[in-house]
Amino acid sequence: AATALGLAAALGYRERGRIMIKPLREPPELPSGSAIRAMAEADYPAWQAHRRAHYARSALDSGLTREEAEAKADTDYATLLPHGPATPGTVLRVLAHDGTDVGTLWVALRAGEPDAEERGEAYVYSVEVAEGHRGHGHGRTLMLAAERDSLAAGARSLGLHVFGGNTTALRLYESLGYEVVEYNLIKQLL
């Protein structure tokens, strides 16, 4: 892969993102003081608007035009969360630490993809720690919660996409045992 990535870089391609996967075995313990709860229906509209805007910005930063990024965000959210928090196979969680909400998590069984349920895959669509609470291990706790929920739903592996340039997230996922299975590259033509 290193040689192929080097060739792609020499031809002017840059990394848009990576797909990473981790096999699941045992439900991990969550740190003391941390509690995971289902996202309340009343919390969903603000969360969805915030996540959709962030997703569109990330797509824009990865090389899409503003129009492409906005259209992708609209299409993907309408497809992946057609019934909001009641979408079958969707897990929306809030992490509280010492009684304060510090982050959110969105995990889904990959029911819409060929053979995904048979393969036992789940997928992290979003993990976010509130700005004032970053750097305290809450992202790790949210990922551990994703593993617990995925195992409880019968998943045997957990995948995710990380945008190129998100070094902090990449390091977290690698430290948790996720491995890159696919690189997404892009090259601007003219």
Side-chain angles (χ1 to χ4, degrees):
T3 302
L5 289 173
L7 175 60
L11 292 171
Y13 289 86
R14 65 182 178 85
E15 183 180 338
R16 176 187 250 168
R18 302 174 188 194
I19 304 293
M20 302 179 81
I21 293 180
K22 176 182 180 179
L24 301 177
R25 304 211 186 328
E26 297 287 324
E29 293 295 320
L30 299 181
S32 64
S34 296
I36 298 289
R37 65 174 166 78
M39 183 180 292
E41 185 81 33
D43 295 331
Y44 178 77
W47 172 85
Q48 191 272 347
H50 170 76
R51 290 307 312 155
R52 186 225 162 268
H54 181 269
Y55 182 77
R57 276 192 312 276
S58 295
L60 181 66
D61 292 345
S62 73
L64 297 182
T65 66
R66 180 164 304 283
E67 295 76 24
E68 291 169 334
E70 293 292 333
K72 180 170 180 46
D74 288 341
T75 300
D76 288 356
Y77 272 79
T79 301
L80 297 170
L81 288 169
H83 307 291
T87 301
T90 297
V91 175
L92 296 173
R93 299 285 188 247
V94 175
L95 168 64
H97 185 76
D98 292 333
T100 301
D101 290 350
V102 297
T104 58
L105 173 68
W106 171 19
V107 178
L109 292 179
R110 304 214 36 200
E113 297 184 16
D115 303 324
E117 286 186 58
E118 184 179 302
R119 290 190 315 262
E121 289 183 6
Y123 196 81
V124 175
Y125 282 107
S126 169
V127 58
E128 182 177 24
V129 175
E131 195 166 322
H133 298 280
R134 293 178 184 158
H136 300 286
H138 300 309
R140 177 174 297 278
T141 301
L142 285 164
M143 289 304 298
L144 296 176
E147 291 179 23
R148 291 178 68 83
D149 278 327
S150 298
L151 279 164
R156 294 182 302 278
S157 66
L158 184 58
L160 55 88
H161 175 270
V162 59
F163 282 105
N166 192 347
T167 306
T168 302
L170 179 60
R171 286 183 183 144
L172 169 64
Y173 304 143
E174 287 173 339
S175 76
L176 288 167
Y178 288 81
E179 295 184 0
V180 177
V181 296
E182 181 179 315
Y183 287 90
N184 306 122
L185 305 175
I186 189 167
K187 178 179 181 178
Q188 293 298 323
L189 301 175
L190 232 204

